[in-house]
Structure formats: structure tokens, C-alpha cells
DNA sequence: CAGTATCCCCCAAGATACTG
DNA sequence: CAGTATCTTGGGGGATACTG
């Protein structure tokens, strides 16, 4: 059911790091969580235009398994679950910031635009939007 | 035949950057090219344990398309083709270095090992391995 | 609200064979 | 040596329906 946590022995650090951020939405989840600190399931969903519930849950579970995301469940009615970054998630995010800057720069050079996200895109200072 | 060059509009720079390094071997190709400066097809192949000719060719073509890799063909017998990084490839590699350091650190903490590569792994100083 | 449970499709990635 | 061409497959990712 749960996927194999690790893909295999890694060849280098890049390989290992890319493994935990691979997945269509993981970079964005990190970004959302970094920007807002704490997010609920539905908020995350709204922030990731196009993601399905299954994929969001699946990615969140894998990232929890990988120690990047903390999942806090409140025994309330209606149910409430809050997601936030762990220390590892935060340092990963920092390590991703230069990559994000490279990507932003490249989009600018290539004349590419970001997609419009309902409710305005919010960009953490560390990532430069 | 050739794949669509771009996956679509990006949500942020991370998204855009991750797009060009996604693919099982791209990080490693960047790393090999950074370490050696110039590599021939067969050398690259030996440096990427387990890669098939098809995948190597395919990834190389995509990276050329993305402006990360330069392909120099010499009209000789036997044929010779040399691959090297473009300026964009070099800056991407630099942007990946902090991610690589994070990955290396994580492997250390988790007690993971790198796979053994025949002929000893060579690690560029910028990536710390 | 915050998920599971299923079913299905597509394509990245692998194996194998052939060529300029 | 440095590739192409073709066939196959595993599982990532999506759609939809149901539940505590």
C-alpha cells in the first residue's frame, strides 16, 4: 500500500535530495508551507491548483514519512488537521531557494509566465517570485 | 517524436527548475559534466551505472534542448561526440550544490551509503560528497 | 472536513535489435 | 563509436465514489 520509502542506494547527495522532492507537487507543498507556516488540508488544496485529493494525501504522507512535514491531528468535530514543516523541511526549503532563483531567472529570460492562481500568488521572500 | 519541450506554465521558479532536472539521470549527468568538463558518450555511460543507451541519449537531447548541455560532433572515423555544460548548465549546477549538500548531510544522518561506482566516485569540490 | 477505496490511463524507463 | 527503432511494462498520476 504505502510505497517503498526509499528508491534505492543513492549515487550522490543530489540524487538523494531529488528523490524526496520528486513528485509533481512536492516543491509546491514545501513552498506553501514555508509561506504560511501552518496549513490545513483544504487550504493546501486551494493553494495547489489542479491537485487531486488523492495526490495531495499521497504526497503529504510521503513527505511525513521522509520527515519533512509534521501532521497535527485535532480530535474535534468537524475534524481538523494541520500541516507544517519540520526542521528538515525548513532546511530543505532553504537548500531549494537557490534552485528557485535559478528557475525564476530562467523563466524571465525565456519569457515564460507563471500560471494565475486564484487569490493571488504569495511568494516567500527567500524564493523571489 | 521529440517530447514536448516544456511541461506547461509553471507555478514558481522551483517548479520550473525541477522540470529541467526531473528525469532519473539528469542530476548525475550535470554532475559528471561538471566534474570532468568534457565527456564523450561512452565515458558518460560508464559514469552512470545502470543507464541504458536510450535513456542516456534521450536525457542528453532534452538537456541540449533545454540549453543546459552543449553537443559537439566531430566528423571523424570513428565518430566522436563531446558533451559539455553550457553557461546555463553551469549556473544550474551551482544552484544545485546546496541541495546536494543537504542530500549528502541527510544520507549521513540516516546512515545511508552511496552505491559503489567502478573506478571510484569523483566528487567536484562544489558538491561535497 | 479530511480523508480512503477503486479503477484506469499514459508515459517514463527498460530490453532488445539494428545502423551510419 | 554513437547512436536509432520498436516493443513492453511498471507505477505515477488522475477521476470518481464512498466514509469516519
Amino acid at each position: 500500500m504505502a510505497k517503498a520509502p526509499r528508491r534505492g542506494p543513492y549515487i550522490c547527495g543530489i540524487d538523494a535530495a531529488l528523490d524526496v522532492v520528486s513528485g509533481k507537487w512536492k516543491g509546491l507543498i514545501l513552498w506553501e508551507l514555508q509561506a504560511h507556516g501552518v496549513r490545513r488540508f483544504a487550504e493546501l488544496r486551494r493553494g495547489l491548483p489542479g491537485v487531486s485529493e488523492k495526490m495531495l494525501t499521497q504526497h503529504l504522507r510521503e513527505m511525513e514519512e521522509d520527515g519533512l512535514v509534521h501532521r497535527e491531528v485535532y480530535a474535534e468535530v468537524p475534524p481538523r488537521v494541520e500541516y507544517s514543516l519540520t526542521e528538515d523541511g525548513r532546511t530543505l526549503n532553504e537548500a531549494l531557494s537557490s534552485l528557485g532563483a535559478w528557475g525564476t531567472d530562467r523563466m524571465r529570460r525565456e519569457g515564460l509566465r507563471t500560471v494565475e492562481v486564484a487569490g493571488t500568488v504569495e511568494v516567500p521572500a527567500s524564493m523571489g517570485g
Side-chain angles (χ1 to χ4, degrees), chain A residues 56-73:
Chain A
L56 183 53
T57 301
Q58 193 170 300
H59 279 152
L60 250 11
R61 286 294 179 289
E62 287 177 25
M63 294 171 79
E64 195 187 350
E65 180 85 4
D66 285 336
L68 305 177
V69 161
H70 174 68
R71 180 170 179 262
E72 188 73 42
V73 183

Side-chain angles (χ1 to χ4, degrees), chain A residues 32-120:
Chain A
E32 271 284 312
L33 256 23
Q34 172 84 356
H36 300 280
V38 170
R39 294 252 95 174
R40 300 181 59 172
F41 188 83
E43 293 174 325
L44 238 21
R45 222 196 142 179
R46 276 187 293 267
L48 274 44
V51 73
S52 68
E53 292 180 350
K54 190 190 82 168
M55 291 313 301
L56 183 53
T57 301
Q58 193 170 300
H59 279 152
L60 250 11
R61 286 294 179 289
E62 287 177 25
M63 294 171 79
E64 195 187 350
E65 180 85 4
D66 285 336
L68 305 177
V69 161
H70 174 68
R71 180 170 179 262
E72 188 73 42
V73 183
Y74 298 87
E76 303 175 356
V77 175
R80 179 160 61 107
V81 178
E82 289 183 346
Y83 294 93
S84 56
L85 293 179
T86 61
E87 185 55 27
D88 261 33
R90 274 186 287 274
T91 59
L92 173 57
N93 225 330
E94 280 171 39
L96 278 171
S97 71
S98 57
L99 191 64
W102 184 90
T104 300
D105 196 49
R106 154 172 268 248
M107 287 169 73
R108 198 159 287 152
R109 274 179 287 130
E110 309 260 324
L112 295 173
R113 287 273 300 115
T114 56
V115 299
E116 300 297 333
V117 178
T120 311

